[in-house]
PDB file of all heavy atoms in Angstrom:
ATOM      1  N   LYS A   1      -8.887  -1.908  -1.101  1.00 96.00           N
ATOM      2  CA  LYS A   1      -9.323  -3.259  -1.430  1.00 96.00           C
ATOM      3  C   LYS A   1      -8.704  -4.256  -0.455  1.00 96.00           C
ATOM      4  O   LYS A   1      -7.589  -4.061   0.027  1.00 96.00           O
ATOM      5  CB  LYS A   1      -8.906  -3.621  -2.853  1.00 96.00           C
ATOM      6  CG  LYS A   1      -9.610  -2.814  -3.933  1.00 96.00           C
ATOM      7  CD  LYS A   1      -9.145  -3.263  -5.315  1.00 96.00           C
ATOM      8  CE  LYS A   1      -9.849  -2.469  -6.409  1.00 96.00           C
ATOM      9  NZ  LYS A   1      -9.401  -2.888  -7.756  1.00 96.00           N
ATOM     10  N   PRO A   2      -9.408  -5.328  -0.138  1.00 98.00           N
ATOM     11  CA  PRO A   2      -8.792  -6.381   0.682  1.00 98.00           C
ATOM     12  C   PRO A   2      -7.708  -7.108  -0.100  1.00 98.00           C
ATOM     13  O   PRO A   2      -7.695  -7.086  -1.338  1.00 98.00           O
ATOM     14  CB  PRO A   2      -9.955  -7.311   1.001  1.00 98.00           C
ATOM     15  CG  PRO A   2     -10.950  -7.086  -0.081  1.00 98.00           C
ATOM     16  CD  PRO A   2     -10.802  -5.640  -0.498  1.00 98.00           C
ATOM     17  N   ILE A   3      -6.799  -7.744   0.615  1.00 98.00           N
ATOM     18  CA  ILE A   3      -5.779  -8.511  -0.078  1.00 98.00           C
ATOM     19  C   ILE A   3      -6.378  -9.797  -0.636  1.00 98.00           C
ATOM     20  O   ILE A   3      -7.346 -10.341  -0.107  1.00 98.00           O
ATOM     21  CB  ILE A   3      -4.570  -8.823   0.835  1.00 98.00           C
ATOM     22  CG1 ILE A   3      -4.983  -9.700   2.019  1.00 98.00           C
ATOM     23  CG2 ILE A   3      -3.908  -7.554   1.312  1.00 98.00           C
ATOM     24  CD1 ILE A   3      -3.797 -10.173   2.832  1.00 98.00           C
ATOM     25  N   LYS A   4      -5.802 -10.269  -1.721  1.00 97.00           N
ATOM     26  CA  LYS A   4      -6.248 -11.508  -2.359  1.00 97.00           C
ATOM     27  C   LYS A   4      -5.523 -12.700  -1.738  1.00 97.00           C
ATOM     28  O   LYS A   4      -4.509 -12.549  -1.056  1.00 97.00           O
ATOM     29  CB  LYS A   4      -5.946 -11.451  -3.858  1.00 97.00           C
ATOM     30  CG  LYS A   4      -6.607 -10.290  -4.581  1.00 97.00           C
ATOM     31  CD  LYS A   4      -6.303 -10.336  -6.075  1.00 97.00           C
ATOM     32  CE  LYS A   4      -4.818 -10.133  -6.353  1.00 97.00           C
ATOM     33  NZ  LYS A   4      -4.522 -10.060  -7.803  1.00 97.00           N
ATOM     34  N   SER A   5      -6.035 -13.895  -2.021  1.00 98.00           N
ATOM     35  CA  SER A   5      -5.387 -15.092  -1.487  1.00 98.00           C
ATOM     36  C   SER A   5      -3.962 -15.227  -1.997  1.00 98.00           C
ATOM     37  O   SER A   5      -3.071 -15.680  -1.268  1.00 98.00           O
ATOM     38  CB  SER A   5      -6.202 -16.342  -1.834  1.00 98.00           C
ATOM     39  OG  SER A   5      -6.382 -16.473  -3.229  1.00 98.00           O
ATOM     40  N   SER A   6      -3.712 -14.816  -3.238  1.00 98.00           N
ATOM     41  CA  SER A   6      -2.341 -14.899  -3.760  1.00 98.00           C
ATOM     42  C   SER A   6      -1.405 -13.970  -2.981  1.00 98.00           C
ATOM     43  O   SER A   6      -0.242 -14.310  -2.730  1.00 98.00           O
ATOM     44  CB  SER A   6      -2.304 -14.549  -5.251  1.00 98.00           C
ATOM     45  OG  SER A   6      -2.675 -13.196  -5.485  1.00 98.00           O
ATOM     46  N   GLU A   7      -1.898 -12.800  -2.582  1.00 98.00           N
ATOM     47  CA  GLU A   7      -1.063 -11.871  -1.818  1.00 98.00           C
ATOM     48  C   GLU A   7      -0.751 -12.410  -0.428  1.00 98.00           C
ATOM     49  O   GLU A   7       0.377 -12.281   0.067  1.00 98.00           O
ATOM     50  CB  GLU A   7      -1.758 -10.512  -1.729  1.00 98.00           C
ATOM     51  CG  GLU A   7      -1.847  -9.790  -3.057  1.00 98.00           C
ATOM     52  CD  GLU A   7      -2.666  -8.515  -2.989  1.00 98.00           C
ATOM     53  OE1 GLU A   7      -3.855  -8.601  -2.606  1.00 98.00           O
ATOM     54  OE2 GLU A   7      -2.130  -7.435  -3.319  1.00 98.00           O
ATOM     55  N   ALA A   8      -1.735 -13.025   0.195  1.00 98.00           N
ATOM     56  CA  ALA A   8      -1.514 -13.607   1.517  1.00 98.00           C
ATOM     57  C   ALA A   8      -0.529 -14.772   1.438  1.00 98.00           C
ATOM     58  O   ALA A   8       0.374 -14.910   2.279  1.00 98.00           O
ATOM     59  CB  ALA A   8      -2.841 -14.069   2.107  1.00 98.00           C
ATOM     60  N   PHE A   9      -0.690 -15.616   0.424  1.00 99.00           N
ATOM     61  CA  PHE A   9       0.215 -16.738   0.228  1.00 99.00           C
ATOM     62  C   PHE A   9       1.628 -16.239  -0.071  1.00 99.00           C
ATOM     63  O   PHE A   9       2.614 -16.780   0.444  1.00 99.00           O
ATOM     64  CB  PHE A   9      -0.302 -17.607  -0.923  1.00 99.00           C
ATOM     65  CG  PHE A   9       0.455 -18.888  -1.130  1.00 99.00           C
ATOM     66  CD1 PHE A   9       0.096 -20.038  -0.449  1.00 99.00           C
ATOM     67  CD2 PHE A   9       1.514 -18.944  -2.023  1.00 99.00           C
ATOM     68  CE1 PHE A   9       0.785 -21.225  -0.655  1.00 99.00           C
ATOM     69  CE2 PHE A   9       2.208 -20.120  -2.235  1.00 99.00           C
ATOM     70  CZ  PHE A   9       1.852 -21.264  -1.549  1.00 99.00           C
ATOM     71  N   TYR A  10       1.721 -15.214  -0.882  1.00 99.00           N
ATOM     72  CA  TYR A  10       3.015 -14.608  -1.210  1.00 99.00           C
ATOM     73  C   TYR A  10       3.721 -14.119   0.051  1.00 99.00           C
ATOM     74  O   TYR A  10       4.920 -14.354   0.244  1.00 99.00           O
ATOM     75  CB  TYR A  10       2.798 -13.447  -2.186  1.00 99.00           C
ATOM     76  CG  TYR A  10       4.043 -12.675  -2.552  1.00 99.00           C
ATOM     77  CD1 TYR A  10       4.848 -13.083  -3.619  1.00 99.00           C
ATOM     78  CD2 TYR A  10       4.422 -11.526  -1.857  1.00 99.00           C
ATOM     79  CE1 TYR A  10       5.984 -12.374  -3.966  1.00 99.00           C
ATOM     80  CE2 TYR A  10       5.550 -10.814  -2.192  1.00 99.00           C
ATOM     81  CZ  TYR A  10       6.330 -11.246  -3.251  1.00 99.00           C
ATOM     82  OH  TYR A  10       7.471 -10.542  -3.588  1.00 99.00           O
ATOM     83  N   MET A  11       2.999 -13.426   0.944  1.00 99.00           N
ATOM     84  CA  MET A  11       3.609 -12.946   2.180  1.00 99.00           C
ATOM     85  C   MET A  11       4.147 -14.108   3.010  1.00 99.00           C
ATOM     86  O   MET A  11       5.208 -13.993   3.642  1.00 99.00           O
ATOM     87  CB  MET A  11       2.593 -12.141   2.992  1.00 99.00           C
ATOM     88  CG  MET A  11       2.255 -10.795   2.415  1.00 99.00           C
ATOM     89  SD  MET A  11       1.279  -9.762   3.544  1.00 99.00           S
ATOM     90  CE  MET A  11      -0.302 -10.596   3.535  1.00 99.00           C
ATOM     91  N   ALA A  12       3.438 -15.228   3.012  1.00 99.00           N
ATOM     92  CA  ALA A  12       3.832 -16.385   3.826  1.00 99.00           C
ATOM     93  C   ALA A  12       4.975 -17.178   3.221  1.00 99.00           C
ATOM     94  O   ALA A  12       5.561 -18.037   3.904  1.00 99.00           O
ATOM     95  CB  ALA A  12       2.632 -17.310   4.019  1.00 99.00           C
ATOM     96  N   THR A  13       5.313 -16.904   1.961  1.00 99.00           N
ATOM     97  CA  THR A  13       6.359 -17.673   1.284  1.00 99.00           C
ATOM     98  C   THR A  13       7.443 -16.738   0.728  1.00 99.00           C
ATOM     99  O   THR A  13       8.385 -16.399   1.430  1.00 99.00           O
ATOM    100  CB  THR A  13       5.739 -18.546   0.173  1.00 99.00           C
ATOM    101  OG1 THR A  13       4.939 -17.731  -0.713  1.00 99.00           O
ATOM    102  CG2 THR A  13       4.853 -19.639   0.767  1.00 99.00           C
ATOM    103  N   LYS A  14       7.278 -16.250  -0.464  1.00 98.00           N
ATOM    104  CA  LYS A  14       8.331 -15.455  -1.089  1.00 98.00           C
ATOM    105  C   LYS A  14       8.510 -14.082  -0.449  1.00 98.00           C
ATOM    106  O   LYS A  14       9.628 -13.559  -0.364  1.00 98.00           O
ATOM    107  CB  LYS A  14       8.046 -15.299  -2.587  1.00 98.00           C
ATOM    108  CG  LYS A  14       9.190 -14.666  -3.367  1.00 98.00           C
ATOM    109  CD  LYS A  14       8.894 -14.629  -4.860  1.00 98.00           C
ATOM    110  CE  LYS A  14      10.029 -13.971  -5.633  1.00 98.00           C
ATOM    111  NZ  LYS A  14       9.751 -13.938  -7.094  1.00 98.00           N
ATOM    112  N   GLY A  15       7.404 -13.476   0.021  1.00 98.00           N
ATOM    113  CA  GLY A  15       7.506 -12.150   0.631  1.00 98.00           C
ATOM    114  C   GLY A  15       8.402 -12.158   1.845  1.00 98.00           C
ATOM    115  O   GLY A  15       9.309 -11.326   1.981  1.00 98.00           O
ATOM    116  N   GLY A  16       8.160 -13.102   2.753  1.00 98.00           N
ATOM    117  CA  GLY A  16       9.044 -13.251   3.901  1.00 98.00           C
ATOM    118  C   GLY A  16      10.350 -13.922   3.536  1.00 98.00           C
ATOM    119  O   GLY A  16      11.389 -13.673   4.154  1.00 98.00           O
ATOM    120  N   GLY A  17      10.305 -14.779   2.512  1.00 98.00           N
ATOM    121  CA  GLY A  17      11.495 -15.513   2.096  1.00 98.00           C
ATOM    122  C   GLY A  17      12.633 -14.634   1.623  1.00 98.00           C
ATOM    123  O   GLY A  17      13.810 -15.018   1.718  1.00 98.00           O
ATOM    124  N   LYS A  18      12.317 -13.440   1.117  1.00 98.00           N
ATOM    125  CA  LYS A  18      13.365 -12.516   0.680  1.00 98.00           C
ATOM    126  C   LYS A  18      14.337 -12.195   1.804  1.00 98.00           C
ATOM    127  O   LYS A  18      15.494 -11.869   1.554  1.00 98.00           O
ATOM    128  CB  LYS A  18      12.731 -11.212   0.178  1.00 98.00           C
ATOM    129  CG  LYS A  18      11.960 -11.316  -1.106  1.00 98.00           C
ATOM    130  CD  LYS A  18      11.371  -9.949  -1.452  1.00 98.00           C
ATOM    131  CE  LYS A  18      10.434  -9.996  -2.624  1.00 98.00           C
ATOM    132  NZ  LYS A  18       9.819  -8.665  -2.885  1.00 98.00           N
ATOM    133  N   PHE A  19      13.852 -12.258   3.046  1.00 98.00           N
ATOM    134  CA  PHE A  19      14.734 -11.986   4.180  1.00 98.00           C
ATOM    135  C   PHE A  19      15.881 -12.986   4.233  1.00 98.00           C
ATOM    136  O   PHE A  19      16.986 -12.663   4.679  1.00 98.00           O
ATOM    137  CB  PHE A  19      13.928 -12.029   5.482  1.00 98.00           C
ATOM    138  CG  PHE A  19      14.682 -11.558   6.688  1.00 98.00           C
ATOM    139  CD1 PHE A  19      14.837 -10.206   6.943  1.00 98.00           C
ATOM    140  CD2 PHE A  19      15.247 -12.466   7.567  1.00 98.00           C
ATOM    141  CE1 PHE A  19      15.550  -9.767   8.053  1.00 98.00           C
ATOM    142  CE2 PHE A  19      15.959 -12.037   8.676  1.00 98.00           C
ATOM    143  CZ  PHE A  19      16.104 -10.684   8.927  1.00 98.00           C
ATOM    144  N   PHE A  20      15.618 -14.225   3.763  1.00 98.00           N
ATOM    145  CA  PHE A  20      16.625 -15.281   3.787  1.00 98.00           C
ATOM    146  C   PHE A  20      17.413 -15.367   2.476  1.00 98.00           C
ATOM    147  O   PHE A  20      18.421 -16.054   2.432  1.00 98.00           O
ATOM    148  CB  PHE A  20      15.952 -16.619   4.056  1.00 98.00           C
ATOM    149  CG  PHE A  20      15.486 -16.794   5.476  1.00 98.00           C
ATOM    150  CD1 PHE A  20      14.267 -16.295   5.896  1.00 98.00           C
ATOM    151  CD2 PHE A  20      16.275 -17.467   6.396  1.00 98.00           C
ATOM    152  CE1 PHE A  20      13.831 -16.457   7.203  1.00 98.00           C
ATOM    153  CE2 PHE A  20      15.847 -17.643   7.711  1.00 98.00           C
ATOM    154  CZ  PHE A  20      14.635 -17.130   8.122  1.00 98.00           C
ATOM    155  N   GLY A  21      16.932 -14.735   1.424  1.00 98.00           N
ATOM    156  CA  GLY A  21      17.583 -14.831   0.121  1.00 98.00           C
ATOM    157  C   GLY A  21      16.618 -15.375  -0.914  1.00 98.00           C
ATOM    158  O   GLY A  21      15.469 -14.939  -1.003  1.00 98.00           O
ATOM    159  N   LYS A  22      17.064 -16.340  -1.697  1.00 98.00           N
ATOM    160  CA  LYS A  22      16.202 -16.951  -2.708  1.00 98.00           C
ATOM    161  C   LYS A  22      15.419 -18.093  -2.058  1.00 98.00           C
ATOM    162  O   LYS A  22      15.764 -19.281  -2.174  1.00 98.00           O
ATOM    163  CB  LYS A  22      17.021 -17.435  -3.899  1.00 98.00           C
ATOM    164  CG  LYS A  22      17.522 -16.306  -4.780  1.00 98.00           C
ATOM    165  CD  LYS A  22      18.087 -16.811  -6.097  1.00 98.00           C
ATOM    166  CE  LYS A  22      18.366 -15.673  -7.057  1.00 98.00           C
ATOM    167  NZ  LYS A  22      18.839 -16.148  -8.371  1.00 98.00           N
ATOM    168  N   VAL A  23      14.353 -17.709  -1.375  1.00 98.00           N
ATOM    169  CA  VAL A  23      13.550 -18.629  -0.579  1.00 98.00           C
ATOM    170  C   VAL A  23      12.080 -18.311  -0.794  1.00 98.00           C
ATOM    171  O   VAL A  23      11.701 -17.144  -0.921  1.00 98.00           O
ATOM    172  CB  VAL A  23      13.909 -18.487   0.923  1.00 98.00           C
ATOM    173  CG1 VAL A  23      12.921 -19.264   1.796  1.00 98.00           C
ATOM    174  CG2 VAL A  23      15.327 -18.961   1.184  1.00 98.00           C
ATOM    175  N   GLY A  24      11.248 -19.343  -0.856  1.00 98.00           N
ATOM    176  CA  GLY A  24       9.804 -19.125  -0.891  1.00 98.00           C
ATOM    177  C   GLY A  24       9.176 -19.200  -2.262  1.00 98.00           C
ATOM    178  O   GLY A  24       8.028 -18.789  -2.442  1.00 98.00           O
ATOM    179  N   SER A  25       9.892 -19.751  -3.234  1.00 98.00           N
ATOM    180  CA  SER A  25       9.340 -19.889  -4.578  1.00 98.00           C
ATOM    181  C   SER A  25       9.938 -21.125  -5.229  1.00 98.00           C
ATOM    182  O   SER A  25      10.915 -21.699  -4.722  1.00 98.00           O
ATOM    183  CB  SER A  25       9.639 -18.637  -5.410  1.00 98.00           C
ATOM    184  OG  SER A  25       9.059 -18.729  -6.693  1.00 98.00           O
ATOM    185  N   PHE A  26       9.376 -21.534  -6.375  1.00 98.00           N
ATOM    186  CA  PHE A  26       9.923 -22.646  -7.145  1.00 98.00           C
ATOM    187  C   PHE A  26      10.606 -22.150  -8.423  1.00 98.00           C
ATOM    188  O   PHE A  26      10.667 -22.855  -9.423  1.00 98.00           O
ATOM    189  CB  PHE A  26       8.825 -23.657  -7.492  1.00 98.00           C
ATOM    190  CG  PHE A  26       8.327 -24.447  -6.304  1.00 98.00           C
ATOM    191  CD1 PHE A  26       6.986 -24.810  -6.216  1.00 98.00           C
ATOM    192  CD2 PHE A  26       9.179 -24.834  -5.288  1.00 98.00           C
ATOM    193  CE1 PHE A  26       6.509 -25.548  -5.135  1.00 98.00           C
ATOM    194  CE2 PHE A  26       8.718 -25.570  -4.202  1.00 98.00           C
ATOM    195  CZ  PHE A  26       7.379 -25.925  -4.123  1.00 98.00           C
ATOM    196  N   GLU A  27      11.103 -20.943  -8.379  1.00 98.00           N
ATOM    197  CA  GLU A  27      11.835 -20.400  -9.519  1.00 98.00           C
ATOM    198  C   GLU A  27      13.274 -20.934  -9.532  1.00 98.00           C
ATOM    199  O   GLU A  27      13.805 -21.376  -8.514  1.00 98.00           O
ATOM    200  CB  GLU A  27      11.844 -18.875  -9.447  1.00 98.00           C
ATOM    201  CG  GLU A  27      10.455 -18.259  -9.536  1.00 98.00           C
ATOM    202  CD  GLU A  27      10.437 -16.795  -9.120  1.00 98.00           C
ATOM    203  OE1 GLU A  27      11.041 -15.973  -9.839  1.00 98.00           O
ATOM    204  OE2 GLU A  27       9.839 -16.478  -8.068  1.00 98.00           O
ATOM    205  N   LYS A  28      13.897 -20.868 -10.681  1.00 98.00           N
ATOM    206  CA  LYS A  28      15.264 -21.359 -10.853  1.00 98.00           C
ATOM    207  C   LYS A  28      16.208 -20.669  -9.876  1.00 98.00           C
ATOM    208  O   LYS A  28      16.172 -19.456  -9.705  1.00 98.00           O
ATOM    209  CB  LYS A  28      15.735 -21.108 -12.281  1.00 98.00           C
ATOM    210  CG  LYS A  28      17.131 -21.629 -12.563  1.00 98.00           C
ATOM    211  CD  LYS A  28      17.534 -21.402 -14.006  1.00 98.00           C
ATOM    212  CE  LYS A  28      18.947 -21.921 -14.280  1.00 98.00           C
ATOM    213  NZ  LYS A  28      19.352 -21.707 -15.695  1.00 98.00           N
ATOM    214  N   GLY A  29      17.051 -21.475  -9.210  1.00 98.00           N
ATOM    215  CA  GLY A  29      18.040 -20.935  -8.294  1.00 98.00           C
ATOM    216  C   GLY A  29      17.565 -20.801  -6.862  1.00 98.00           C
ATOM    217  O   GLY A  29      18.362 -20.511  -5.958  1.00 98.00           O
ATOM    218  N   TYR A  30      16.269 -21.017  -6.614  1.00 98.00           N
ATOM    219  CA  TYR A  30      15.733 -20.910  -5.259  1.00 98.00           C
ATOM    220  C   TYR A  30      16.005 -22.190  -4.463  1.00 98.00           C
ATOM    221  O   TYR A  30      16.106 -23.281  -5.027  1.00 98.00           O
ATOM    222  CB  TYR A  30      14.229 -20.642  -5.295  1.00 98.00           C
ATOM    223  CG  TYR A  30      13.884 -19.181  -5.423  1.00 98.00           C
ATOM    224  CD1 TYR A  30      14.198 -18.464  -6.576  1.00 98.00           C
ATOM    225  CD2 TYR A  30      13.271 -18.495  -4.383  1.00 98.00           C
ATOM    226  CE1 TYR A  30      13.903 -17.117  -6.692  1.00 98.00           C
ATOM    227  CE2 TYR A  30      12.963 -17.144  -4.488  1.00 98.00           C
ATOM    228  CZ  TYR A  30      13.287 -16.464  -5.650  1.00 98.00           C
ATOM    229  OH  TYR A  30      13.000 -15.128  -5.757  1.00 98.00           O
ATOM    230  N   ASP A  31      16.126 -22.033  -3.142  1.00 98.00           N
ATOM    231  CA  ASP A  31      16.229 -23.202  -2.270  1.00 98.00           C
ATOM    232  C   ASP A  31      14.984 -24.066  -2.441  1.00 98.00           C
ATOM    233  O   ASP A  31      13.862 -23.540  -2.462  1.00 98.00           O
ATOM    234  CB  ASP A  31      16.308 -22.777  -0.802  1.00 98.00           C
ATOM    235  CG  ASP A  31      17.613 -22.087  -0.447  1.00 98.00           C
ATOM    236  OD1 ASP A  31      18.491 -21.956  -1.325  1.00 98.00           O
ATOM    237  OD2 ASP A  31      17.754 -21.675   0.722  1.00 98.00           O
ATOM    238  N   PHE A  32      15.191 -25.381  -2.537  1.00 98.00           N
ATOM    239  CA  PHE A  32      14.033 -26.266  -2.595  1.00 98.00           C
ATOM    240  C   PHE A  32      13.605 -26.589  -1.164  1.00 98.00           C
ATOM    241  O   PHE A  32      13.891 -27.652  -0.612  1.00 98.00           O
ATOM    242  CB  PHE A  32      14.327 -27.541  -3.384  1.00 98.00           C
ATOM    243  CG  PHE A  32      13.086 -28.373  -3.609  1.00 98.00           C
ATOM    244  CD1 PHE A  32      12.087 -27.933  -4.474  1.00 98.00           C
ATOM    245  CD2 PHE A  32      12.900 -29.572  -2.944  1.00 98.00           C
ATOM    246  CE1 PHE A  32      10.937 -28.695  -4.664  1.00 98.00           C
ATOM    247  CE2 PHE A  32      11.765 -30.340  -3.132  1.00 98.00           C
ATOM    248  CZ  PHE A  32      10.778 -29.898  -3.997  1.00 98.00           C
TER     249      PHE A  32
END
């Protein structure tokens, strides 16, 4: 199956953000 827009957005934010730590999301404790 092709990737969905949420998966592509995730890769561009939280997916890559894991490399830096708590980055790429608006969850509690994440960098703003």
Side-chain angles (χ1 to χ4, degrees):
K1 293 181 180 180
I3 63 173
K4 301 182 295 185
S5 57
S6 65
E7 292 174 302
F9 187 88
Y10 177 88
M11 288 190 289
T13 53
K14 189 176 179 180
K18 291 179 188 177
F19 189 80
F20 287 84
K22 287 192 170 183
V23 170
S25 183
F26 289 145
E27 297 166 67
K28 182 178 180 180
Y30 274 66
D31 291 358
F32 188 70

